[in-house]
Amino acid sequence: MSISFETNPSLPKSTQVHSSASMTGPEKLSRLLDETDPELWMVGSTEFCTEAIANDEAFLNLVRFLVENDFHSAEYAKEFSKQGMIRCLRQLRQLNAVLSMRLSEFFSHMVDLTGNLNPRRNRAGAWEDAFQGSNQADAQKLRVLGLLKQGRFREEVSDWSRVLEQSKPHAIYPTSVFRKCSGHVAADSNFTAVEATISSQTHTSIRVVEDALNPDEPILASVYRSLTRCVCLIDKNVDQHFGSKLEDYFRAHNIELVKLVYRAMEVDKGIRTVEKILGDFKTHGVARNEPVLVAGGGVLSDVGGLACSLYHRGTPYVMLSTSLVAGVDAGPSPRTCCDGFGFKNLFGAYHAPVLSVTDRKFFSTLKPGWIRHGIAEIIKMATVKDLSLFEDLEAGGARLIDSRFGNVGHETSEISEISQRIIAKAITSYVDAEYGNLYETHQCRPHAFGHTWSPGFEIPAGLLHGHAVSVGMGLGAFLSEKMGWIEQDQMNRIHRLIQSFGLSLWNDHLSNHDLIWQAQVKMVEKRGGQLVAPLPINQVGQCGYLPSLNQANLINTLKDYQRYCRSTQNKGLGVEPLCSDVGLESAGIVGC
């Protein structure tokens, strides 16, 4: 779909951009960048530079384009994706607030934007020079709007800014460049009855990269370059393996790194950890619009994200996922949480990271049991959403564990390519399901497959989350076949894949029928009064939802499933299913 650009009547024709109704967003952007030459500004003194920018019509036209277009729209996403320029949207969406930016911050975003335009990569150097140039110190204080008001367009710009205060306040005085909100209010004649509608937008980016801590990889530097520092929550184990490399990365980019090191086992996933993080944020003066870097696995992503959601009522954060569970599930997830009063994820908030980075090189130091339980979250998406992902998992098999997803002994082999493809597909499937229902306002959630009954026995059993989920998936597939939703061969295929990775189909806590029934009762309450259990339907890769299941049918299913599991490999028991098996303290043993 092409997007039309019309001239803005709030500015005089002298500053209108030459436009065509048929010109696409990428074409428009390319043309404006051709007309804007930062090298013209970098001649001579700081005073010359700022005066040159303030009087440059091409610069003003570029700013107008960045401010007046809705880069959050689905139309823009389709257009830029079609042109192979999807990476540009991350910068364009932040540059929507260019008028409020410091000049150095604007330069920093332009470095990344032009760097992502492959045919114009050579242009990134000029913007880099602008960022690094002699005016950088002054630019830390000088904002783009103030600069434009000093130039020959000051009257027009002043009028424009007053219009924007009413029509588009996010563009001129944003609290955060990552979020927008809107709403409308209606009242009766005497204002005793008021009805309001509130809506919000959050833009986030997900990247699958190779070697994120190589100084030549700009993804993290692009966030913190203009801030000049990075406050980082880091898992203690991750710090031992990658802490020095993280320090070297930020040192290479002249960015101060403040490391806050936390132990992040399941037993640490409680409110006390969240409180400690909040205290550290206050100690280091984390600003309301300063993205925190969270470097760790699923536990740290949950508690760190929750702390960010509470601090300043929503501090942005960047997720650098160092485990498989975080990389394909917990990392990009908007559901931040911690355990409490013996219940999984009792406290939480919906707060998505503004950037989520998955780099499989971090998996090289993971124990096989940690890889295994992370694969369960990929099987989940494959079974009810993506047949091709399921087939890739079948093709990769146990080699994914042995090679740590192509990191150990198979760096140049077929398994490396399969591993990268599986990660990319798993993230895409998960995000597609999760972000369309950010606040869980309905329960048609395929990514909840395996998570209906498992929260009831995961903590008491001391199970790794992945094994609890695989038991839930095994039970769900069995129930689906019992109801006639899938054929037996489809159920067998699902169970075979689960067991091929050494994941569990059975745990003896399923014999405690009252425990499982109470887990279902609590889940029904959590899901708005209905069970809505996602289950495979028709064939692998498709999802249906079971609205209810009475106690008698649940108990009969559990009994039948136990008999079935006794006939399977190793009686349905997985390899290293317990937290203690892989060196983790169990929340079920120690408490929350």
Side-chain angles (χ1 to χ4, degrees):
M1 177 178 179
S2 296
I3 304 163
S4 299
F5 295 85
E6 302 297 336
T7 56
N8 189 333
S10 64
L11 281 178
K13 292 183 179 179
S14 61
T15 61
Q16 300 290 352
V17 184
H18 301 293
S19 64
S20 168
S22 63
M23 190 174 288
T24 66
E27 290 170 343
K28 188 69 162 180
L29 175 62
S30 297
R31 182 168 182 172
L32 286 165
L33 290 175
D34 283 339
E35 295 172 354
T36 308
D37 188 357
E39 292 181 351
L40 297 176
W41 311 331
M42 301 313 300
V43 181
S45 65
T46 298
E47 291 76 12
F48 176 89
C49 172
T50 54
E51 183 178 352
I53 295 172
N55 291 285
D56 187 346
E57 185 173 352
F59 174 76
L60 177 58
N61 287 335
L62 176 61
V63 168
R64 284 189 58 246
F65 170 80
L66 295 172
V67 169
E68 294 178 352
N69 292 287
D70 183 9
F71 300 111
H72 297 76
S73 70
E75 289 78 9
Y76 266 100
K78 292 175 184 176
E79 187 66 55
F80 276 79
S81 179
K82 181 179 178 181
Q83 297 296 324
M85 296 165 61
I86 193 69
R87 293 175 183 272
C88 295
L89 280 182
R90 177 168 164 256
Q91 281 76 40
L92 288 171
R93 287 171 174 175
Q94 295 179 64
L95 284 163
N96 222 204
V98 59
L99 289 172
S100 72
M101 289 180 177
R102 301 185 308 274
L103 192 57
S104 61
E105 188 179 2
F106 167 71
F107 286 155
S108 177
H109 284 307
M110 292 304 296
V111 171
D112 300 318
L113 176 63
T114 52
N116 282 324
L117 291 167
N118 290 329
R120 303 174 182 281
R121 187 166 293 275
N122 60 319
R123 295 188 63 85
W127 291 101
E128 180 72 37
D129 291 341
F131 176 73
Q132 300 289 352
S134 61
N135 71 320
Q136 185 176 344
D138 288 351
Q140 292 290 346
K141 300 177 181 178
L142 188 61
R143 297 189 182 274
V144 171
L145 179 59
L147 180 65
L148 287 171
K149 287 183 176 180
Q150 297 177 22
R152 65 188 177 104
F153 305 110
R154 54 183 170 272
E155 292 183 8
E156 293 88 344
V157 169
S158 295
D159 291 340
W160 184 35
S161 67
R162 283 190 288 270
V163 171
L164 290 172
E165 286 176 6
Q166 301 299 319
S167 65
K168 201 172 185 180
H170 295 94
I172 194 165
Y173 296 128
T175 303
S176 170
V177 297
F178 303 107
R179 302 180 78 175
K180 291 184 177 182
C181 66
S182 62
H184 59 82
V185 174
D188 63 7
S189 58
N190 59 3
F191 304 103
T192 58
V194 178
E195 295 295 330
T197 297
I198 304 169
S199 62
S200 65
Q201 285 184 317
T202 299
H203 79 78
T204 184
S205 303
I206 298 95
R207 297 289 186 267
V208 179
V209 303
E210 292 282 321
D211 202 6
L213 298 184
N214 184 326
D216 291 333
E217 171 52 60
I219 189 67
L220 295 178
S222 68
V223 178
Y224 298 101
R225 184 191 297 115
S226 63
L227 297 171
T228 71
R229 83 158 180 174
C230 170
V231 176
C232 174
L233 301 177
I234 186 168
D235 184 298
K236 181 179 179 181
N237 289 328
V238 176
D239 187 48
Q240 291 174 353
H241 290 288
F242 299 101
S244 296
K245 195 170 183 180
L246 185 73
E247 293 168 4
D248 292 343
Y249 178 90
F250 284 102
R251 188 180 300 114
H253 289 278
N254 297 313
I255 298 169
E256 177 191 2
L257 177 65
V258 179
K259 276 200 312 183
L260 306 174
V261 183
Y262 286 83
R263 199 185 75 153
M265 296 188 181
E266 284 295 328
V267 70
D268 303 309
K269 192 180 168 182
I271 196 68
R272 290 186 180 88
T273 300
V274 177
E275 290 174 340
K276 186 176 187 305
I277 294 172
L278 290 170
D280 284 343
F281 285 173
K282 183 66 172 67
T283 298
H284 292 281
V286 173
R288 187 176 187 180
N289 57 358
E290 177 183 4
V292 172
L293 177 62
V294 180
V299 171
L300 195 64
S301 73
D302 283 346
V303 296
L306 179 56
C308 288
S309 76
L310 295 172
Y311 196 71
H312 292 308
R313 299 190 186 93
T315 297
Y317 69 103
V318 173
M319 187 65 215
L320 179 62
S321 298
T322 60
S323 74
L324 183 57
V325 169
V328 301
D329 189 284
S333 174
R335 291 176 293 115
T336 66
C337 53
C338 72
D339 301 337
F341 301 111
F343 292 94
K344 287 282 294 179
N345 306 334
L346 183 65
F347 310 130
Y350 298 104
H351 189 52
V354 297
L355 172 64
S356 180
V357 178
T358 298
D359 176 3
R360 64 190 173 97
K361 284 189 176 296
F362 287 112
F363 306 162
S364 62
T365 61
L366 297 180
K367 296 179 180 180
W370 297 356
I371 294 284
R372 182 178 295 111
H373 103 100
I375 288 174
E377 298 289 2
I378 304 179
I379 295 175
K380 169 188 73 176
M381 298 311 303
T383 302
V384 293
K385 201 169 193 309
D386 189 342
L387 175 59
S388 70
L389 175 57
F390 196 99
E391 292 169 342
D392 281 337
L393 286 169
E394 289 177 320
R399 292 181 298 165
L400 295 170
I401 299 175
D402 297 338
S403 69
R404 311 301 193 274
F405 272 72
N407 277 293
V408 179
H410 298 271
E411 294 87 344
T412 60
S413 69
E414 171 208 7
I415 195 62
S416 183
E417 296 179 8
I418 293 176
S419 297
Q420 190 76 335
R421 191 164 65 241
I422 286 173
I423 290 170
K425 287 182 179 181
I427 293 173
T428 301
S429 293
Y430 178 79
V431 169
D432 181 62
E434 185 79 278
Y435 282 19
N437 186 19
L438 179 63
Y439 297 106
E440 200 173 321
T441 55
H442 63 78
Q443 288 301 322
C444 290
R445 303 171 62 243
H447 45 296
F449 177 53
H451 292 69
T452 298
W453 298 281
S454 62
F457 60 81
E458 177 177 336
I459 289 180
L463 283 171
L464 281 164
H465 179 67
H467 282 270
V469 170
S470 68
V471 171
M473 291 190 292
L475 175 61
F478 180 83
L479 178 59
S480 185
E481 192 274 337
K482 185 176 181 180
M483 296 188 305
W485 284 21
I486 57 173
E487 298 294 333
Q488 187 176 26
D489 65 323
Q490 295 292 296
M491 180 195 73
N492 291 339
R493 188 180 183 186
I494 294 167
H495 287 168
R496 188 163 52 245
L497 182 67
I498 291 172
Q499 291 197 294
S500 71
F501 291 107
L503 287 162
S504 303
L505 290 179
W506 176 259
N507 180 270
D508 284 342
H509 278 71
L510 267 66
S511 299
N512 186 340
H513 299 157
D514 185 60
L515 176 70
I516 306 306
W517 171 247
Q518 290 304 316
Q520 178 172 307
V521 169
K522 292 169 185 173
M523 189 57 66
V524 167
E525 180 181 353
K526 182 178 180 180
R527 292 178 178 173
Q530 299 186 77
L531 182 60
V532 206
L535 300 174
I537 193 168
N538 299 325
Q539 63 177 24
V540 169
Q542 297 181 22
C543 187
Y545 298 92
L546 181 65
S548 62
L549 184 67
N550 65 40
Q551 186 172 10
N553 283 337
L554 174 63
I555 292 173
N556 288 335
T557 299
L558 290 170
K559 290 178 178 178
D560 291 344
Y561 185 58
Q562 183 174 17
R563 286 191 289 270
Y564 166 81
C565 285
R566 286 172 180 165
S567 67
T568 64
Q569 177 184 338
N570 201 30
K571 298 182 179 180
L573 301 178
V575 178
E576 297 180 329
L578 304 180
C579 293
S580 57
D581 292 334
V582 295
L584 298 178
E585 292 181 49
S586 169
I589 297 172
V590 182
C592 295

